Short mmCIF file of all heavy atoms in Angstrom, two decimals:
data_model
loop_
_atom_site.label_atom_id
_atom_site.label_comp_id
_atom_site.label_asym_id
_atom_site.label_seq_id
_atom_site.Cartn_x
_atom_site.Cartn_y
_atom_site.Cartn_z
N ASP A 1 148.47 134.28 66.87
CA ASP A 1 148.08 135.34 65.94
C ASP A 1 146.77 135.99 66.36
O ASP A 1 145.87 136.16 65.55
CB ASP A 1 148.00 134.79 64.52
CG ASP A 1 148.04 135.89 63.48
OD1 ASP A 1 148.50 137.00 63.79
OD2 ASP A 1 147.62 135.63 62.35
N SER A 2 146.65 136.30 67.61
CA SER A 2 145.42 136.88 68.08
C SER A 2 145.58 138.40 68.18
O SER A 2 146.67 138.94 68.22
CB SER A 2 145.02 136.30 69.44
OG SER A 2 146.02 136.63 70.39
N ALA A 3 144.46 139.06 68.24
CA ALA A 3 144.45 140.52 68.31
C ALA A 3 144.49 140.98 69.78
O ALA A 3 143.58 141.68 70.23
CB ALA A 3 143.18 141.05 67.60
N VAL A 4 145.51 140.58 70.48
CA VAL A 4 145.66 141.01 71.87
C VAL A 4 146.59 142.22 71.91
O VAL A 4 147.38 142.45 71.01
CB VAL A 4 146.18 139.88 72.77
CG1 VAL A 4 145.23 138.69 72.78
CG2 VAL A 4 147.58 139.45 72.39
N ALA A 5 146.50 142.95 72.98
CA ALA A 5 147.30 144.14 73.18
C ALA A 5 148.78 143.78 73.27
O ALA A 5 149.14 142.69 73.68
CB ALA A 5 146.89 144.89 74.43
N ILE A 6 149.64 144.70 72.86
CA ILE A 6 151.08 144.47 72.86
C ILE A 6 151.58 144.15 74.27
O ILE A 6 152.51 143.34 74.41
CB ILE A 6 151.84 145.69 72.27
CG1 ILE A 6 153.33 145.38 72.14
CG2 ILE A 6 151.59 146.95 73.06
CD1 ILE A 6 153.73 144.32 71.19
N GLU A 7 150.97 144.71 75.30
CA GLU A 7 151.39 144.40 76.67
C GLU A 7 151.23 142.91 76.95
O GLU A 7 152.06 142.29 77.59
CB GLU A 7 150.61 145.22 77.68
CG GLU A 7 150.84 146.72 77.61
CD GLU A 7 149.96 147.41 76.57
OE1 GLU A 7 149.10 146.75 75.93
OE2 GLU A 7 150.16 148.62 76.38
N LYS A 8 150.15 142.36 76.49
CA LYS A 8 149.85 140.92 76.69
C LYS A 8 150.83 140.08 75.86
O LYS A 8 151.36 139.05 76.33
CB LYS A 8 148.41 140.61 76.32
CG LYS A 8 148.02 139.18 76.50
CD LYS A 8 147.84 138.81 77.93
CE LYS A 8 147.27 137.42 78.03
NZ LYS A 8 147.36 136.88 79.38
N LYS A 9 151.08 140.49 74.63
CA LYS A 9 152.05 139.77 73.78
C LYS A 9 153.40 139.76 74.43
O LYS A 9 154.08 138.74 74.45
CB LYS A 9 152.10 140.40 72.39
CG LYS A 9 150.86 140.15 71.56
CD LYS A 9 150.92 140.86 70.24
CE LYS A 9 149.63 140.62 69.48
NZ LYS A 9 149.53 141.40 68.26
N TYR A 10 153.81 140.92 74.93
CA TYR A 10 155.11 141.03 75.61
C TYR A 10 155.17 140.06 76.80
O TYR A 10 156.13 139.32 76.97
CB TYR A 10 155.34 142.46 76.10
CG TYR A 10 156.39 142.54 77.16
CD1 TYR A 10 157.74 142.51 76.82
CD2 TYR A 10 156.04 142.63 78.48
CE1 TYR A 10 158.72 142.56 77.79
CE2 TYR A 10 157.02 142.67 79.49
CZ TYR A 10 158.35 142.64 79.12
OH TYR A 10 159.30 142.68 80.10
N SER A 11 154.13 140.02 77.61
CA SER A 11 154.07 139.15 78.78
C SER A 11 154.19 137.67 78.37
O SER A 11 154.90 136.88 78.99
CB SER A 11 152.78 139.39 79.56
OG SER A 11 152.70 138.54 80.66
N ILE A 12 153.47 137.31 77.32
CA ILE A 12 153.51 135.91 76.84
C ILE A 12 154.93 135.58 76.31
O ILE A 12 155.47 134.52 76.58
CB ILE A 12 152.42 135.70 75.77
CG1 ILE A 12 151.04 135.74 76.42
CG2 ILE A 12 152.64 134.37 75.03
CD1 ILE A 12 149.88 135.83 75.46
N VAL A 13 155.52 136.50 75.55
CA VAL A 13 156.86 136.28 75.01
C VAL A 13 157.88 136.20 76.15
O VAL A 13 158.75 135.32 76.15
CB VAL A 13 157.25 137.38 74.00
CG1 VAL A 13 158.73 137.37 73.70
CG2 VAL A 13 156.42 137.23 72.73
N LYS A 14 157.76 137.08 77.12
CA LYS A 14 158.69 137.06 78.26
C LYS A 14 158.59 135.70 78.98
O LYS A 14 159.62 135.11 79.30
CB LYS A 14 158.35 138.19 79.23
CG LYS A 14 159.25 138.23 80.45
CD LYS A 14 158.85 139.34 81.38
CE LYS A 14 159.60 139.19 82.69
NZ LYS A 14 159.10 140.09 83.71
N ASP A 15 157.38 135.23 79.23
CA ASP A 15 157.22 133.92 79.86
C ASP A 15 157.81 132.81 79.01
O ASP A 15 158.43 131.88 79.53
CB ASP A 15 155.72 133.63 80.12
CG ASP A 15 155.16 134.48 81.25
OD1 ASP A 15 155.90 135.11 82.00
OD2 ASP A 15 153.90 134.55 81.32
N SER A 16 157.65 132.90 77.70
CA SER A 16 158.21 131.90 76.80
C SER A 16 159.73 131.92 76.85
O SER A 16 160.36 130.84 76.89
CB SER A 16 157.73 132.15 75.36
OG SER A 16 158.39 131.28 74.49
N LEU A 17 160.32 133.09 76.88
CA LEU A 17 161.78 133.16 76.94
C LEU A 17 162.27 132.55 78.25
O LEU A 17 163.34 131.90 78.27
CB LEU A 17 162.25 134.63 76.84
CG LEU A 17 162.11 135.26 75.45
CD1 LEU A 17 162.44 136.73 75.51
CD2 LEU A 17 162.95 134.55 74.41
N THR A 18 161.53 132.72 79.30
CA THR A 18 161.90 132.15 80.60
C THR A 18 161.68 130.66 80.64
O THR A 18 162.50 129.92 81.16
CB THR A 18 161.07 132.83 81.72
OG1 THR A 18 161.32 134.24 81.69
CG2 THR A 18 161.41 132.28 83.09
N ASN A 19 160.57 130.17 80.10
CA ASN A 19 160.16 128.78 80.26
C ASN A 19 160.48 127.85 79.09
O ASN A 19 160.63 126.66 79.30
CB ASN A 19 158.65 128.72 80.55
CG ASN A 19 158.30 129.46 81.83
OD1 ASN A 19 159.00 129.37 82.81
ND2 ASN A 19 157.22 130.22 81.78
N ASN A 20 160.54 128.34 77.87
CA ASN A 20 160.72 127.51 76.70
C ASN A 20 162.15 127.38 76.23
O ASN A 20 162.46 126.51 75.41
CB ASN A 20 159.87 127.98 75.52
CG ASN A 20 158.39 127.89 75.78
OD1 ASN A 20 157.96 127.61 76.90
ND2 ASN A 20 157.60 128.15 74.78
N PHE A 21 163.01 128.27 76.67
CA PHE A 21 164.37 128.30 76.18
C PHE A 21 165.32 127.91 77.29
O PHE A 21 165.18 128.34 78.44
CB PHE A 21 164.74 129.70 75.66
CG PHE A 21 163.99 130.05 74.42
CD1 PHE A 21 162.77 130.68 74.47
CD2 PHE A 21 164.53 129.76 73.17
CE1 PHE A 21 162.07 131.00 73.33
CE2 PHE A 21 163.84 130.07 72.00
CZ PHE A 21 162.61 130.69 72.09
N ARG A 22 166.27 127.05 76.92
CA ARG A 22 167.31 126.69 77.89
C ARG A 22 168.09 127.93 78.28
O ARG A 22 168.49 128.09 79.45
CB ARG A 22 168.22 125.63 77.32
CG ARG A 22 169.32 125.26 78.31
CD ARG A 22 169.95 123.98 77.93
NE ARG A 22 171.03 123.65 78.87
CZ ARG A 22 171.68 122.53 78.83
NH1 ARG A 22 171.41 121.62 77.91
NH2 ARG A 22 172.63 122.31 79.70
N LYS A 23 168.35 128.79 77.30
CA LYS A 23 169.09 130.01 77.59
C LYS A 23 168.77 131.06 76.52
O LYS A 23 168.55 130.76 75.37
CB LYS A 23 170.60 129.73 77.56
CG LYS A 23 171.44 130.92 77.92
CD LYS A 23 172.41 130.62 79.02
CE LYS A 23 173.12 131.89 79.42
NZ LYS A 23 174.38 131.66 79.97
N VAL A 24 168.71 132.32 76.97
CA VAL A 24 168.57 133.45 76.10
C VAL A 24 169.92 134.14 76.08
O VAL A 24 170.46 134.51 77.13
CB VAL A 24 167.47 134.42 76.60
CG1 VAL A 24 167.41 135.65 75.70
CG2 VAL A 24 166.13 133.71 76.67
N PHE A 25 170.51 134.27 74.91
CA PHE A 25 171.83 134.87 74.75
C PHE A 25 171.70 136.27 74.15
O PHE A 25 170.71 136.58 73.51
CB PHE A 25 172.69 134.02 73.81
CG PHE A 25 173.02 132.65 74.29
CD1 PHE A 25 172.44 131.55 73.71
CD2 PHE A 25 173.94 132.48 75.31
CE1 PHE A 25 172.75 130.26 74.16
CE2 PHE A 25 174.26 131.18 75.74
CZ PHE A 25 173.67 130.09 75.16
N SER A 26 172.75 137.05 74.33
CA SER A 26 172.86 138.34 73.67
C SER A 26 173.85 138.21 72.54
O SER A 26 174.92 137.64 72.70
CB SER A 26 173.37 139.40 74.68
OG SER A 26 173.74 140.58 73.99
N THR A 27 173.53 138.80 71.40
CA THR A 27 174.48 138.79 70.27
C THR A 27 175.75 139.56 70.62
O THR A 27 176.79 139.32 70.03
CB THR A 27 173.87 139.35 68.98
OG1 THR A 27 173.41 140.68 69.25
CG2 THR A 27 172.72 138.48 68.48
N ARG A 28 175.62 140.45 71.60
CA ARG A 28 176.82 141.18 72.02
C ARG A 28 177.90 140.23 72.52
O ARG A 28 179.10 140.49 72.46
CB ARG A 28 176.45 142.20 73.07
CG ARG A 28 177.59 143.15 73.43
CD ARG A 28 177.14 144.25 74.34
NE ARG A 28 176.26 145.12 73.56
CZ ARG A 28 175.29 145.83 74.12
NH1 ARG A 28 175.08 145.83 75.39
NH2 ARG A 28 174.51 146.59 73.36
N ASN A 29 177.50 139.11 73.07
CA ASN A 29 178.41 138.09 73.62
C ASN A 29 178.32 136.78 72.82
O ASN A 29 178.31 135.71 73.40
CB ASN A 29 178.10 137.83 75.10
CG ASN A 29 178.16 139.09 75.92
OD1 ASN A 29 179.12 139.86 75.80
ND2 ASN A 29 177.15 139.32 76.73
N PHE A 30 178.24 136.92 71.51
CA PHE A 30 178.02 135.72 70.68
C PHE A 30 179.10 134.69 70.87
O PHE A 30 178.80 133.48 71.00
CB PHE A 30 177.90 136.11 69.20
CG PHE A 30 177.52 134.92 68.35
CD1 PHE A 30 176.17 134.59 68.18
CD2 PHE A 30 178.47 134.12 67.75
CE1 PHE A 30 175.80 133.49 67.44
CE2 PHE A 30 178.11 133.03 66.98
CZ PHE A 30 176.75 132.69 66.85
N GLU A 31 180.35 135.07 70.92
CA GLU A 31 181.44 134.09 71.03
C GLU A 31 181.37 133.32 72.35
O GLU A 31 181.62 132.12 72.38
CB GLU A 31 182.79 134.74 70.84
CG GLU A 31 183.00 135.27 69.41
CD GLU A 31 182.80 134.23 68.33
OE1 GLU A 31 183.12 133.04 68.54
OE2 GLU A 31 182.32 134.59 67.24
N THR A 32 181.00 134.00 73.41
CA THR A 32 180.84 133.33 74.72
C THR A 32 179.68 132.33 74.65
O THR A 32 179.78 131.20 75.12
CB THR A 32 180.62 134.35 75.85
OG1 THR A 32 181.72 135.24 75.86
CG2 THR A 32 180.43 133.68 77.19
N SER A 33 178.60 132.76 74.03
CA SER A 33 177.44 131.87 73.90
C SER A 33 177.78 130.68 73.00
O SER A 33 177.33 129.54 73.26
CB SER A 33 176.21 132.60 73.41
OG SER A 33 176.39 133.18 72.15
N TRP A 34 178.58 130.89 71.96
CA TRP A 34 179.02 129.79 71.11
C TRP A 34 179.79 128.75 71.93
O TRP A 34 179.60 127.56 71.76
CB TRP A 34 179.88 130.29 69.94
CG TRP A 34 180.60 129.18 69.26
CD1 TRP A 34 181.95 128.94 69.28
CD2 TRP A 34 180.03 128.10 68.50
NE1 TRP A 34 182.27 127.80 68.56
CE2 TRP A 34 181.10 127.28 68.07
CE3 TRP A 34 178.73 127.77 68.14
CZ2 TRP A 34 180.88 126.14 67.29
CZ3 TRP A 34 178.54 126.62 67.37
CH2 TRP A 34 179.60 125.83 66.96
N ASN A 35 180.65 129.22 72.85
CA ASN A 35 181.38 128.29 73.71
C ASN A 35 180.42 127.41 74.50
O ASN A 35 180.61 126.23 74.64
CB ASN A 35 182.30 129.06 74.66
CG ASN A 35 183.47 129.71 73.94
OD1 ASN A 35 183.79 129.38 72.81
ND2 ASN A 35 184.08 130.65 74.61
N GLU A 36 179.39 128.03 75.06
CA GLU A 36 178.39 127.26 75.85
C GLU A 36 177.64 126.26 74.98
O GLU A 36 177.47 125.10 75.38
CB GLU A 36 177.37 128.22 76.49
CG GLU A 36 177.92 129.00 77.66
CD GLU A 36 176.84 129.81 78.35
OE1 GLU A 36 175.78 129.20 78.70
OE2 GLU A 36 177.05 131.01 78.53
N ILE A 37 177.24 126.67 73.79
CA ILE A 37 176.52 125.76 72.88
C ILE A 37 177.43 124.62 72.49
O ILE A 37 177.02 123.45 72.49
CB ILE A 37 176.02 126.52 71.62
CG1 ILE A 37 175.02 127.61 71.99
CG2 ILE A 37 175.48 125.57 70.59
CD1 ILE A 37 173.70 127.12 72.50
N ALA A 38 178.67 124.92 72.16
CA ALA A 38 179.61 123.85 71.75
C ALA A 38 179.81 122.86 72.88
O ALA A 38 179.88 121.65 72.66
CB ALA A 38 180.95 124.47 71.34
N GLU A 39 179.90 123.32 74.13
CA GLU A 39 180.03 122.43 75.28
C GLU A 39 178.82 121.55 75.45
O GLU A 39 178.91 120.35 75.66
CB GLU A 39 180.32 123.22 76.54
CG GLU A 39 181.76 123.70 76.66
CD GLU A 39 182.02 124.42 77.96
OE1 GLU A 39 181.39 124.05 78.99
OE2 GLU A 39 182.88 125.32 77.97
#
């Protein structure tokens, strides 16, 4: 919750999506992602 510029927030979020999540899914392909999660 710091007062950093949006560019920096974006960079931090992008790194988090890459490093903290096993996978980033698109809701457009929700059923396919559900198959992966179920497996």
